[in-house]
Amino acid sequence: HVTADDDPAVGVENWRKCVDGLELPVPILIENTAGGKHAMARYLESLAALWDGLRGSENFEQVGFCFDTCHAFAAGLDMASVVDDIRAITGRIDLIHLNDSQRPAGSGADRHANLGEGLIPADELVAMVRAAEAPAVLETPGGIAEHARDLEWIHARL
């Protein structure tokens, strides 16, 4: 994030310095964010600027992308095209954080819900998982019983 008074290029430069300074024996994944008007990974335009800024890093091949379904919805991104839009920017989706959203589209609120119990239309949630073609990790509230229901929910639809 940068402040409202900062040039977004400062945020990109800070990310680049961070990635350049890391020793990366394993990849790092940058995740899209739900909120923050000045976040580097909320809107597609800022994500594209971030990715362009990271491309010249010696560590760039070790930088991947984690796609969070609730964050995309809460950020107000187009659910029908978001996976293709992100892949067009990053060239990849390495992991999905799979969850529904308690709050409406565009709210900027990172409030995860169990699958099928939130506000992301079920068909859109399933379509995003299919389109991403990446491993998924449930990031839903609750314990074993709720997670078992979430797994049954997504398996039945995939």
Side-chain angles (χ1 to χ4, degrees), residues 55 83-92:
R55 281 193 206 294
V83 169
D84 290 337
D85 295 340
I86 288 173
R87 196 174 280 124
I89 293 167
T90 66
R92 60 197 292 170

Side-chain angles (χ1 to χ4, degrees), residues 114-115 117 138 143-154:
N114 294 91
L115 304 183
E117 296 178 14
L138 278 174
I144 293 172
E146 291 83 6
H147 295 152
R149 278 197 314 270
D150 288 335
L151 287 172
E152 289 173 17
W153 188 94
I154 194 66

Side-chain angles (χ1 to χ4, degrees), residues 71-157:
H71 295 182
F73 185 76
L77 301 179
D78 182 349
M79 298 293 95
S81 65
V82 67
V83 169
D84 290 337
D85 295 340
I86 288 173
R87 196 174 280 124
I89 293 167
T90 66
R92 60 197 292 170
I93 294 177
D94 300 281
L95 182 69
I96 302 166
H97 278 177
L98 178 57
N99 39 67
D100 209 326
S101 179
Q102 292 179 15
R103 302 290 170 84
S107 67
D110 182 9
R111 300 294 180 268
H112 297 183
N114 294 91
L115 304 183
E117 296 178 14
L119 299 175
I120 303 176
D123 58 335
E124 292 179 8
L125 188 57
V126 173
M128 286 187 290
V129 172
R130 276 200 182 105
E133 298 179 324
V137 174
L138 278 174
E139 224 186 19
T140 53
I144 293 172
E146 291 83 6
H147 295 152
R149 278 197 314 270
D150 288 335
L151 287 172
E152 289 173 17
W153 188 94
I154 194 66
H155 285 159
R157 286 156 179 81

Side-chain angles (χ1 to χ4, degrees), residues 41-65:
R42 178 180 182 181
Y43 303 110
L44 296 174
E45 299 79 17
S46 56
L47 181 61
L50 173 60
W51 226 256
D52 287 343
L54 296 177
R55 281 193 206 294
S57 173
E58 289 181 17
N59 287 326
F60 185 66
E61 292 302 315
Q62 288 292 82
V63 177
F65 192 79

